[in-house]
Amino acid sequence: MSRRRTLGTKKKIALLAGAAAVAGAGAFALAATSDAAPPPAPRTLSAGDSTVCQGLATALGNNQKFIDGQRANPDAQSAARIANREASSRRSSAAGGVVLPGRGVGSGLPNGPAGAERRAERQRPGGGRR
């Protein structure tokens, strides 16, 4: 019969210390050679920092330039194009939470199609329904 040999306490401690040293050296080597940069300093963000808000502002600016160009050089379809662009701007603004000038709280003219209909009614002779 063969006799099983067991590790003594000193050998167990030495084996544990060796394993810990190898693991620590590996972790240090990985951390030292990684491409991770230190985190940037914290700063306060605003809505203007959002790419969505910047894109919306650009789109609204482009729409306004187009409308100004159509008003400067009108043709047979200019009125329809301007109405479409203004409606598009109102929908985009409402979806993005932007309040257009003259359409804020208390103006009675909400953003969106319902507000456009109310404005059109006020401009019609008699202000009545169709």
Side-chain angles (χ1 to χ4, degrees):
M1 255 190 172
S2 67
R3 184 172 162 238
R4 274 178 101 176
R5 296 183 72 176
T6 59
L7 291 177
T9 304
K10 290 182 182 179
K11 287 185 180 179
K12 287 180 185 176
I13 291 173
L15 183 63
L16 182 63
V22 168
F28 178 78
L30 287 174
T33 60
S34 74
D35 289 334
R43 66 184 186 100
T44 303
L45 298 177
S46 66
D49 293 329
S50 168
T51 55
V52 172
C53 288
Q54 291 170 354
L56 179 60
T58 301
L60 292 174
N62 290 343
N63 277 347
Q64 191 58 48
K65 287 178 191 172
F66 178 82
I67 291 169
D68 293 342
Q70 288 293 308
R71 286 188 177 139
N73 300 313
D75 62 9
Q77 296 295 318
S78 290
R81 288 189 199 115
I82 290 171
N84 286 339
R85 288 292 178 114
E86 286 177 340
S88 173
S89 292
R90 281 191 297 275
R91 283 191 304 270
S92 298
S93 297
V98 176
V99 177
L100 295 174
R103 292 169 181 78
V105 176
S107 70
L109 302 174
N111 289 327
E117 186 173 305
R118 284 188 205 156
R119 282 187 294 282
E121 285 175 12
R122 289 182 183 173
Q123 292 172 356
R124 268 190 233 124
R129 297 249 178 222
R130 291 180 236 177

